[in-house]
Amino acid sequence: MPATAADLLLRDVILVDGSTVRLRAIQHDDFERLRDLFRRVSPQSRYLRFHSHVGQISDADLGRFTAIDYETVFGLVATLGEDEAEQIIGTGHYFRTEPAIAEVAFLVEDTHQGRGIATQILDALTETARAHGIQTFEAYVLGENRSMMDVFQAAGFPLHAVLKYGTLHVTFPIEPTEQADVATAHREAVAAAASLRVFFQPETIAVIGASRDAGTIGAEVFRNVVETGFTGTVYPVNPHATAVHDVAAYKSVLDIPGPVGLAIVIVPAAHVLNVVDECGRKGVRGLVVISAGFRETGEEGRASEHQLVEKARHYGMRLIGPNCMGVLNADPAVSFNGTFSPVFPPFGNVGLLSQSGALGLALLDHASALGIGLSTFVSVGNKADVSGNDLIQYWEQDPATDVILLYLESFGNPRKFARLAPRVTAKKPIIAVKSGRSESGSRAASSHTGALATVDVAVDALFRQSGVIRVDTLEEMFDVAGLLAHQPLPVGRRIGILTNAGGPGILAADACESAGLKIEPLSDETKAAMRRILPPEAGLSNPVDMIASATADQYADVLRLLVKDDSLDAIIVIFIPPMVTRAPDVARAIRQVVGEGVEKTILACFMMTKGAPKELSEGGRSVPSYIFPESAARALSHVADYAEWRKRPRGVVPQLNVNTEAARAVIHAALLDAPDGKAWLTPAQCAKVLDAYGIRSAPVMFAQSAGKAVVAARKLGLPVAMKVASTTITHKTDVGGVKLNLATFAEVERAYKTMREQLAALGRPQEMQGVTVQAMVKGGVEAIVGVTQDKSFGPLVMLGLGGTMVELVKDVQVRIQPLTDTDARDMIRTTKGYRLFQGWRGAPPADVSALEDMLLRISSLAGDVPEIADLDLNPVRVLGVGQGAIVVDARILVRLVP
């Protein structure tokens, strides 16, 4: 939905230098604050804004700037501070000059210019202008005002400028464009990364609540910062101590003599707000609030957390936490452990986020035990400000991070995640564990789609569309991370297996096949070469069984042959320790081959209780190792899926010829008389909405008596189908509410009476408003297409095999709106029943392209008309190639949108 003026009353934005300001709609009582701004700006800035050398701003002009009339004039201010100390540091307005055109202008205080404030104001003005029917902005810019032209160009809109008498008349349409969206996303990513730099590359840290009492969190955090060799300066703050850990302490952050970039706060919740005030006055840029006692404790804590965020934003600070375990950077150039974890992991190329503080302790310990090096680690706690989305954008630009790991318990803004994650995963893999799989939605009673599109299904859809690797367990997350962190992506799914024992080789082959990997035959050349190396008892097919007597040299020689075999994309090397060959020798042999410039994906499976030998990770590119072959196969399957996602076309959201206003008119008319703000559309209304979006449905007529049903059948032509018309009956077949293949008018009349009698016998006669009579649609494959609204994810679009057993079979695919053409193709081809659409057991293939088109049109409808709460098209008959797809039955629930 477009932003409104009310939405902009509170908008905290991140600037290019990483600091934050608040944007809000201008108010009448900003009169004096604006006057103060105009006093503080330089004469040159006033000249560039007003095109003349003005001294003071008149009361008349100030009154015009503070006018509140969103249709003709709208003003925004950028502020710092709170309450009486609030200060306006920038302002912008648009003034409507024609019905679809408005003039736009800005003024930013000199000391705050170059930070992106004007750009943020322009973005917000643009959203509001669109919501009020403005299509074009114009501006009059003095020729020397290069910075203002930079703001317009950075917005990504196509500019038209005419120079006359030293002034540029600039005009540009403000409708969204791909270039503008890319420009906005780039600015957002740069700003988010800049705002988080202080957390990972601080020069000075104040630990507020540093303690001398061993075993307390305040003591552990300060000791960790000092003892891990932080390369900057650290100050303990403790009003009751002169020194902590032999470092001079300060009673307040305000007493520290120099600047402080980052503050780690470990004080009781009741004192946190006062500490934040002091940090703001000190000029601290980042806060890590480890203290608990906020939202997780109930409503009072929630209110305190809201105040905490408000204070941080008023001072322009970013906040991690509260209720978190801190942050760390393992890079020796920083060497900063701002957590209470006793484990400081080795430096590596993996960024790790944990929403759970307690689980974060275990994650750091496990990563260290596996030898997986981290670049940075963050425990986000309550995610009151800094979120997973922010951190993903930081890691996107961090040269030290190649792989991103996420442990999530909730999503704050999944729609934003859906926008930025595909951009990140195109360059760096994201592996996620999302807990709460058992959570189900509350939509089950409304529709098939609502029952099937649970929250966890929505998460799956989000990750699939975004290229995120979703794993079920933390162990699996590290299995995949170890492979991605050290090995190249496989170019395909063809796997070679090398082993010294037949049993594990068979297990590995079975696991690979189950995971969608392929065990391909080896080339004749490879087999011939292996015969010259291995004993006659060895098995030379794939898996290659070198038998228990295999030496380290034979491992190296055969592995070189498999690497050169063009029929393989990746190789799993399995070793079970016999009496004659030492595991370290085999590990060195594998590493030697990998060090020879091998470009294929290599992973090992050392089936030993002691784990993998250290020789697999010594020098150069490490080889990840797994205790069991099944774990290796699962990890490799995830990585192969990700490699395929990176290669597939990104897809586009097509522009369709639709009539949105016609669909909205039908829905708004239905809602006029809706007593509780929601209504089921009648079959005729459903048909009109679908027709407005170019979706073909079978002709249908409504009848409220047996005689009128016969008249309808006569007009439509026999045979016909009859269905109960009801706003309360979801599953019509369960109550005898569907009669098919009525071939005579007598059958039609009898079907109506029987249906009425069956409902009466069930005690539900009042739920029958009549029947719909429809010409029979025969042939093709039955599908279901649906939409349901999720309060967090927005519209979810579903496809599956249709009919009465859809909820039993659950062969469905769900994606988040909007669908691209690639999404629509993927949805159809990843259903288990896709072979039915291809033509099963002699049946003709179905018109898959028509079904793809229907999915895209339904996606467009769901995005354009948010009043649609639930939509079920079941069944949709997908006819033969070239014959299209027809909706046989439609149910649409609409509700008022605030």
Side-chain angles (χ1 to χ4, degrees):
M1 291 291 290
T4 66
D7 295 327
L8 297 169
L9 291 176
L10 290 177
R11 171 178 290 194
D12 297 295
V13 296
I14 307 171
L15 305 178
V16 293
D17 63 357
S19 61
T20 64
V21 298
R22 170 155 293 180
L23 297 187
R24 61 170 175 79
I26 206 164
Q27 301 295 324
H28 289 307
D29 61 4
D30 286 325
F31 197 94
E32 291 303 324
R33 293 188 188 94
L34 273 180
R35 190 194 300 278
D36 189 46
L37 169 65
F38 290 134
R39 285 189 186 125
R40 295 196 311 272
V41 299
S42 67
Q44 176 67 7
S45 291
R46 286 198 296 268
Y47 169 69
L48 293 176
R49 168 62 179 86
F50 298 105
H51 299 196
S52 63
H53 292 286
V54 296
Q56 299 302 318
I57 303 301
S58 69
D59 287 352
D61 281 337
L62 285 171
R64 187 165 62 94
F65 292 143
T66 55
I68 302 176
D69 178 6
Y70 298 129
E71 288 299 324
T72 58
V73 57
F74 178 62
L76 283 171
V77 290
T79 70
L80 286 176
E82 59 178 335
D83 300 330
E84 293 80 9
E86 185 186 44
Q87 189 177 68
I88 295 175
I89 61 173
T91 184
H93 290 75
Y94 69 68
F95 304 90
R96 194 189 295 262
T97 56
E98 296 183 29
I101 301 175
E103 181 182 349
V104 65
F106 313 92
L107 180 66
V108 176
E109 187 175 345
D110 296 66
T111 55
H112 294 284
Q113 290 177 10
R115 301 173 62 203
I117 294 174
T119 300
Q120 292 287 355
I121 291 174
L122 177 60
D123 283 348
L125 289 176
T126 298
E127 290 183 43
T128 308
R130 289 176 190 150
H132 290 86
I134 295 170
Q135 300 172 3
T136 301
F137 272 169
E138 64 178 351
Y140 294 89
V141 183
L142 291 176
E144 64 262 44
N145 195 351
R146 184 67 252 171
S147 60
M148 185 53 60
M149 291 302 298
D150 289 342
V151 170
F152 291 143
Q153 289 173 335
F157 297 111
L159 302 180
H160 177 71
V162 177
L163 180 64
K164 189 173 183 179
Y165 304 120
T167 299
L168 285 166
H169 180 216
V170 182
T171 59
F172 53 95
I174 60 173
E175 284 303 306
T177 65
E178 182 177 355
Q179 185 179 358
D181 289 344
V182 168
T184 300
H186 176 72
R187 288 196 305 272
E188 180 184 271
V190 170
S195 74
L196 299 190
R197 203 162 288 124
V198 69
F199 294 104
F200 301 114
Q201 301 172 35
E203 296 179 357
T204 54
I205 301 172
V207 180
I208 304 173
S211 175
R212 295 180 296 183
D213 299 331
T216 64
I217 292 179
E220 293 304 307
V221 171
F222 186 76
R223 182 182 61 81
N224 284 345
V225 174
V226 173
E227 293 190 352
T228 51
F230 174 52
T231 57
T233 304
V234 59
Y235 301 101
V237 175
N238 185 328
H240 307 296
T242 57
V244 177
H245 209 70
D246 297 327
V247 180
Y250 296 86
K251 294 185 181 300
S252 165
V253 69
L254 294 171
D255 297 331
I256 295 173
V260 175
L262 176 64
I264 302 176
V265 181
I266 321 160
V267 300
H271 300 294
V272 168
L273 295 180
N274 289 335
V275 167
V276 172
D277 268 325
E278 292 180 347
C279 289
R281 288 154 54 196
K282 181 65 178 177
V284 171
R285 295 285 300 278
L287 292 170
V288 177
V289 179
I290 293 178
S291 310
F294 291 90
R295 184 177 62 206
E296 74 280 6
T297 64
E299 286 306 311
E300 186 176 343
R302 186 182 300 274
S304 296
E305 185 169 303
H306 177 73
Q307 288 181 280
L308 168 63
V309 174
E310 288 293 295
K311 283 187 178 294
R313 289 176 175 172
H314 275 302
Y315 285 114
M317 296 183 288
R318 297 304 309 271
L319 162 70
I320 289 178
N323 187 32
C324 70
M325 65 171 286
V327 302
L328 66 78
N329 185 344
D331 186 346
V334 180
S335 196
F336 160 49
N337 183 4
T339 77
F340 50 84
S341 169
V343 177
F344 191 59
F347 179 53
N349 61 346
V350 177
L352 173 58
L353 175 152
S354 174
Q355 192 168 341
S356 164
L359 196 57
L361 293 168
L363 292 175
L364 289 177
D365 184 61
H366 196 58
S368 298
L370 294 174
I372 294 177
L374 302 185
S375 59
T376 44
F377 164 82
V378 187
S379 163
V380 291
N382 292 1
K383 297 193 298 183
D385 176 27
V386 172
S387 67
N389 289 336
D390 293 315
L391 289 159
I392 288 170
Q393 292 179 99
Y394 174 83
W395 282 319
E396 176 189 15
Q397 300 183 46
D398 178 24
T401 301
D402 296 322
V403 180
I404 299 167
L405 307 185
L406 307 175
Y407 170 74
L408 301 173
E409 295 173 349
S410 64
F411 274 104
N413 189 340
R415 299 189 205 190
K416 183 176 180 180
F417 184 94
R419 291 197 306 270
L420 67 91
R423 184 186 74 229
V424 178
T425 53
K427 298 174 286 186
K428 299 181 180 183
I430 299 175
I431 311 166
V433 175
K434 169 63 176 69
S435 63
R437 276 188 177 270
S438 61
E439 180 184 4
S440 61
S442 59
R443 304 178 297 269
S446 297
S447 64
H448 293 296
T449 307
L452 293 166
T454 62
V455 172
D456 191 62
V457 169
V459 172
D460 267 337
L462 175 64
F463 286 163
R464 180 186 287 272
Q465 286 173 271
S466 303
V468 173
I469 302 169
R470 184 177 190 180
V471 294
D472 294 328
T473 65
L474 296 172
E475 180 182 19
E476 196 174 0
M477 178 175 75
F478 283 113
D479 284 347
V480 178
L483 183 52
L484 285 167
H486 301 297
Q487 290 292 312
L489 294 177
V491 297
R493 309 183 74 87
R494 304 170 302 170
I495 311 304
I497 299 171
L498 176 61
T499 179
N500 66 345
I506 295 171
L507 284 175
D510 289 345
C512 286
E513 293 281 4
S514 297
L517 303 171
K518 300 176 182 178
I519 306 301
E520 295 288 344
L522 303 177
S523 69
D524 292 338
E525 293 80 3
T526 298
K527 290 180 180 178
M530 287 193 297
R531 281 193 194 96
R532 295 191 290 269
I533 297 171
L534 299 176
E537 299 84 1
L540 304 184
S541 59
N542 190 12
V544 177
D545 180 7
M546 298 187 297
I547 69 173
S549 61
T551 65
D553 287 341
Q554 287 174 326
Y555 263 98
D557 292 339
V558 176
L559 181 56
R560 287 189 183 96
L561 294 174
L562 297 181
V563 164
K564 294 176 183 177
D565 193 320
D566 291 335
S567 65
L568 301 178
D569 302 311
I571 302 163
I572 299 175
V573 183
I574 302 174
F575 175 78
I576 289 186
M579 297 296 293
V580 293
T581 306
R582 297 176 61 248
D585 296 334
V586 174
R588 272 191 292 268
I590 296 170
R591 279 284 302 116
Q592 179 183 349
V593 176
V594 171
E596 294 169 358
V598 172
E599 296 181 358
K600 286 184 179 177
T601 309
I602 310 292
L603 55 164
C605 178
F606 277 68
M607 300 182 70
M608 314 180 327
T609 57
K610 295 181 180 179
K614 65 181 187 305
E615 286 80 3
L616 282 175
S617 56
E618 288 182 342
R621 198 176 89 200
S622 297
V623 178
S625 182
Y626 306 86
I627 295 178
F628 298 110
E630 294 89 345
S631 300
R634 280 195 302 268
L636 187 53
S637 175
H638 282 302
V639 174
D641 289 342
Y642 170 68
E644 289 179 351
W645 187 90
R646 289 241 317 222
K647 289 188 291 187
R648 78 171 194 168
R650 289 286 81 89
V652 296
V653 178
Q655 296 297 315
L656 301 170
N657 183 21
V658 299
N659 189 343
T660 304
E661 292 308 314
R664 284 178 175 158
V666 173
I667 290 169
H668 291 167
L671 288 170
L672 283 177
D673 300 323
D676 56 354
K678 62 182 181 180
W680 286 99
L681 299 188
T682 66
Q685 290 172 325
C686 289
K688 288 180 180 178
V689 169
L690 296 177
D691 183 63
Y693 271 74
I695 298 167
R696 181 181 168 196
S697 56
V700 61
M701 295 184 70
F702 179 66
Q704 289 183 297
S705 68
K708 291 181 179 179
V710 171
V711 171
R714 196 181 302 279
K715 290 182 178 179
L716 292 169
L718 296 171
V720 295
M722 182 184 295
K723 303 169 188 176
V724 64
S726 173
T727 58
T728 58
I729 299 173
T730 301
H731 305 294
K732 299 182 179 70
T733 54
D734 291 352
V735 296
V738 177
K739 308 295 182 184
L740 304 177
N741 289 310
L742 304 175
T744 67
F745 299 128
E747 288 181 9
V748 172
E749 184 175 8
R750 189 162 51 250
Y752 185 96
K753 294 177 180 177
T754 300
M755 196 176 294
R756 186 176 56 194
E757 291 166 358
Q758 288 176 315
L759 283 167
L762 293 171
R764 303 174 68 178
Q766 72 283 358
E767 296 183 58
M768 180 177 176
Q769 281 88 47
V771 297
T772 58
V773 182
Q774 191 175 51
M776 284 294 299
V777 179
K778 296 182 178 180
V781 179
E782 283 193 347
I784 178 173
V785 174
V787 170
T788 191
Q789 290 281 350
D790 184 277
K791 62 182 179 181
S792 297
F793 293 83
L796 305 176
V797 182
M798 186 189 78
L799 168 75
L801 290 182
T804 59
M805 294 191 292
V806 59
E807 289 179 37
L808 177 65
V809 178
K810 294 184 179 179
D811 181 16
V812 298
Q813 291 291 317
V814 174
R815 299 292 185 273
I816 294 172
Q817 193 275 339
L819 300 186
T820 66
D821 51 0
T822 301
D823 291 330
R825 284 194 295 270
D826 180 65
M827 287 178 76
I828 299 171
R829 285 157 180 78
T830 51
T831 58
K832 296 183 181 68
Y834 176 57
R835 286 181 294 176
L836 293 176
F837 294 105
Q838 292 177 299
W840 178 251
R841 292 191 172 180
D847 197 339
V848 172
S849 62
L851 184 56
E852 291 174 6
D853 181 70
M854 183 180 291
L855 285 169
L856 293 169
R857 291 179 181 277
I858 286 295
S859 170
S860 179
L861 173 62
D864 294 342
V865 189
E867 290 85 356
I868 294 177
D870 277 292
L871 176 150
D872 267 352
L873 310 181
N874 182 35
V876 173
R877 286 276 181 181
V878 188
L879 304 178
V881 175
Q883 299 178 45
I886 303 177
V887 176
V888 177
D889 192 45
R891 284 171 50 84
I892 301 177
L893 175 66
V894 295
R895 50 97 173 96
L896 290 172
V897 176

